[in-house]
Amino acid sequence: MTQTTTAWAPKLVGPAEAGVEANPAGLAEYLRGTDLDDLLVREKAVVFRGFAVTPDSYDGLADLLLPQRLAYVHGNSPRTKVGRNLYTSTEYPAEYEISMHNEMSYASSWPSRILFHCAIAAGTGGATPVVDGRLWLESLDAEVREAFAGGVRYTQNLHDGVGFGKSWQATFETDDRAAVEEFLAGTGADHRWRADGSLWVSLLRPATLAHPVTGTEVWFNQADQFHPAGLGEDAAALAMVIPEDELPQHAVFADGSPIPDAYVRHVQETGMRLAVDVDWRVGDLLFVDNVAVAHGRRSYTGQRRILVAMSG
C-alpha cells in the first residue's frame, strides 16, 4: 500500500498473521473464527493478501464477509453483472481517475460493506485509493463544509435505451416500470416519466453522515461526481450545450442554488490527496466499511479486472 499524508491505512492480513494456510480454505478458517463486525469497525478497511483467492473461490468467502449481498439497483456507474450480485468495478476508460466516494451515498440506502477482488492486476497504475471519511471531512475548508450543511439535491435523467449516461432499465436492473415505481416510492425521491420514455429522478440527501456504530461524522456524498466540474473536460463541455435539467446527472445545494466549481474541485483534490493507495496483487481481497471509508481508482495501463460485491 502506498501511503500519503495520513497515518491511517487499511490493515493488511496475510496467512502468517492469520495463522492459517495460504489458500482460500485457510482464509475461510480465519474468517469463521474472527469477529468481522469488530474487525471492520476497528480497522475501517482490511486487505487480505497471500491467500490465492480466485474468482471461483470468491463466492464462498464473500458469503462469510457480506451477510446479505445486494444488487446494484439505483447505481449510477457503468458495471457488468458477472455473478450472484457480483459486478465488475466501474468501467470508465483506463486513462481516467475516479474520485473518492462512498458507494451510493447519493441514494436513499447504501451498502454498509464492500468486498473487492483482484482477478487481473493492471500493467501499471490501477490502485484503489481509500480515504478515512472523518479525515476528509475535517480537512475541507470551513467555508465548504458550511455551504454543504443543508445537504445535496441529486438529479438523474435516465434515458429509455438511447442517449447519454445510463438508461433507467440498466439503473434499476429491470424493464418493468411498475417495479421502478415501487422502488422509488420507498426512497422519498421525486420522479416523473417523460414523453420520450425517459425517467427524471430527484432526491435530497445529507452531505455528511454519522457512522452507525461509532457515531463519527464523515463526509458522505457524491456531489462532485454528479457535478460537471468534477467529471472532466468532456462533461464540462456537455454542460455548456445541454440545459442543466436535461443532463444525465447533476447536483445542486439543497435550496437549489448551484454548487461552485471551486468547491467541487476542492472536495475532489482533498480526498485524493489524503488517500492511501491499495496497489493490487492478483488474489487480493479489499474489505471496506462503506461509511467510514471512501474509495476511488487511479488511472492505469494494460488489462485490469476488479470484481466487487456489496452488502447491507
Side-chain angles (χ1 to χ4, degrees), residues 222-286:
Q222 283 169 252
D224 64 293
Q225 293 193 336
F226 274 64
H227 194 289
L231 296 174
E233 295 179 0
D234 291 345
L238 188 65
M240 295 292 290
V241 297
I242 295 181
E244 178 182 305
D245 62 356
E246 295 179 17
L247 289 169
Q249 58 187 35
H250 194 63
V252 296
F253 288 127
D255 63 2
S257 61
I259 301 173
D261 292 1
Y263 287 7
V264 171
R265 288 191 290 268
H266 172 64
V267 167
Q268 283 196 334
E269 291 166 2
T270 301
M272 294 302 267
R273 172 173 57 83
L274 297 171
V276 178
D277 283 354
V278 176
D279 300 302
W280 289 108
R281 298 182 189 175
V282 173
D284 282 355
L285 295 179
L286 171 61

Side-chain angles (χ1 to χ4, degrees), residues 6-295:
T6 172
W8 176 82
K11 180 177 179 60
L12 182 61
V13 175
E17 178 178 351
V20 296
E21 294 184 1
N23 55 39
L27 178 54
E29 178 186 346
Y30 169 77
L31 296 177
R32 290 190 184 99
T34 300
D35 185 334
L36 297 175
D37 292 335
D38 178 71
L39 175 68
L40 199 56
V41 168
R42 185 175 67 250
E43 303 296 345
K44 304 179 183 179
V46 182
V47 176
F48 297 106
R49 174 169 290 165
F51 296 97
V53 178
T54 64
D56 288 340
S57 58
Y58 175 93
D59 254 2
L61 296 168
D63 286 343
L64 296 172
L65 289 161
L66 305 176
Q68 183 181 3
R69 217 183 295 187
L70 301 174
Y72 188 57
V73 176
H74 203 183
N76 72 323
S77 67
R79 303 177 187 271
T80 301
K81 192 170 186 177
V82 296
R84 179 168 56 88
N85 288 345
L86 178 64
Y87 301 82
T88 58
S89 59
T90 303
E91 296 171 351
Y92 285 129
E95 62 269 27
Y96 297 120
E97 285 194 332
I98 298 174
S99 62
M100 308 307 297
H101 61 285
N102 304 80
E103 202 64 52
M104 297 184 70
S105 58
Y106 57 86
S108 62
S109 61
W110 51 87
S112 61
R113 298 177 175 186
I114 306 175
L115 183 64
F116 298 92
H117 167 58
C118 179
I120 302 174
T124 62
T128 292
V130 289
V131 67
D132 183 332
R134 175 198 57 80
L135 179 65
W136 191 6
L137 172 61
E138 293 176 353
S139 300
L140 295 174
D141 290 347
E143 176 185 337
V144 174
R145 294 199 304 269
E146 183 177 349
F148 276 92
V152 178
R153 178 163 291 280
Y154 301 96
T155 299
Q156 294 171 287
N157 286 294
L158 305 170
H159 62 76
D160 192 29
V162 178
F164 293 111
K166 290 184 75 172
S167 68
W168 62 263
Q169 293 94 333
T171 298
F172 296 101
E173 295 192 0
T174 181
D175 58 4
D176 183 348
R177 283 195 180 198
V180 174
E181 293 277 356
E182 182 179 359
F183 176 88
L184 290 174
T187 67
D190 298 321
H191 66 281
R192 63 175 179 265
W193 298 97
R194 289 178 164 150
D196 62 359
S198 64
L199 175 63
W200 174 87
V201 180
S202 182
L203 185 62
L204 178 63
R205 297 294 306 148
T208 66
L209 189 70
H211 190 279
V213 177
T214 66
T216 301
E217 187 179 12
V218 298
W219 188 250
F220 193 81
N221 69 81
Q222 283 169 252
D224 64 293
Q225 293 193 336
F226 274 64
H227 194 289
L231 296 174
E233 295 179 0
D234 291 345
L238 188 65
M240 295 292 290
V241 297
I242 295 181
E244 178 182 305
D245 62 356
E246 295 179 17
L247 289 169
Q249 58 187 35
H250 194 63
V252 296
F253 288 127
D255 63 2
S257 61
I259 301 173
D261 292 1
Y263 287 7
V264 171
R265 288 191 290 268
H266 172 64
V267 167
Q268 283 196 334
E269 291 166 2
T270 301
M272 294 302 267
R273 172 173 57 83
L274 297 171
V276 178
D277 283 354
V278 176
D279 300 302
W280 289 108
R281 298 182 189 175
V282 173
D284 282 355
L285 295 179
L286 171 61
F287 186 39
V288 174
D289 181 324
N290 185 48
V291 175
V293 171
H295 64 276

